[in-house]
Amino acid sequence: MTILFRYVVREILTTFFIVLVAVLSIYVAIDFIEKIDNFMEAGVPATRCVVYLLYKLPFIFVQIAPVGFFLSILVALGLMNKNNEIIALKSCGIGKARLLKPTMALGVLFCAGLFVVAEILVPIFMVNANQIWLQEVRKANIYASKTNDIWMRAARQIIHIKQYAPEEKRVTGITIHTFDDNFRLIERVDAGSGVFKNGRWQLHDAIKQVFETDGGVHQIKLSDTMTADIDLNPEDLAQAAKQSDEMGLAELGRYIQKVEREGYGATRYRVDYQSKIAAPFVCIFLSVLGTGIALRGKMREGMPVSITYGLGIAFLYWIFNSFCLSLGYAEMMPPVVAAWVANLVFFSVAGFLLLNTH
């Protein structure tokens, strides 16, 4: 490494550490204030709330690290530009390519780091966080198996759910076992799907079986629509059901195969699978974008303006990427294209800005 390379890397990493600590502190403080009432009402010590938030840190880190890295480049190189260090380097024949090299190297490093954290740490830590929230705070006997099936034990009932879509409050493949006081099965309901409406669960394509005390089937009833008498909170279901962001690529891939084997659509999960691969690469495009903005000649006259300009472009990227993912979810765009098109478009924009710096 050259002296310049080490200097730029040190400045960016120092700024990144400051930004990361500041943002994480604000995020954790707000989340603590929001959640502490729930912990206190449930009689759970405040220390468990701190543990709960610590378990969520890897997930939060994955979400905010790219923006923190981007701000670090803008601030570090912007200060160099403001202090005329960039002019001094140019007068020595050092061009923007030499300054791009350390930022690109950090972009690749951050890309690999985010991938490792999202693939290894996030799934493990989020399982522990969800268990604290559901079992200690919500007092709900609800569990997610390794195959992402959901099991819940209620008063005289055991409920099994194959899949839950939080956005639609819809369950797929639900089975409700009801027992008497002697824990004998007296009723079983199987339904293809169910939706939470007006505070009740409406089951579709349901089969209800009522059993006699000797174990024989007393009655079988088929219903297109049935109202289920179950105490099943959609918020608890959403907490128990693993989201794509909380699963590693291998686990998400197995879940996609399981869903498709059972005859259900997995387009949303296929889009999320490709998005999990594409998301870390945003650090590489942000390294080019940040370098291009920070080296602009106007940076010395107004660094806050340039930072705002850069954040505006990052916000546009988020909007455009979300729009493309929505098209993928709606099957209007292939999953691979939906996940990668925003990266490719904005990487081209970043390259254009860099080429047009003086």
Side-chain angles (χ1 to χ4, degrees), residues 80-106:
M80 289 177 63
N81 201 356
K82 184 178 181 180
N83 296 328
N84 296 319
E85 294 177 66
I86 301 297
I87 294 178
L89 291 173
K90 289 180 178 178
S91 65
C92 296
I94 298 176
K96 54 192 174 186
R98 294 279 297 276
L99 289 171
L100 178 63
K101 191 179 296 184
T103 59
M104 281 285 287
L106 283 176

Side-chain angles (χ1 to χ4, degrees), residues 55-71:
Y55 277 135
K56 291 182 65 177
L57 282 182
F59 179 78
I60 300 170
F61 173 81
V62 170
Q63 305 300 315
I64 67 174
V67 177
F69 174 58
F70 180 51
L71 285 175

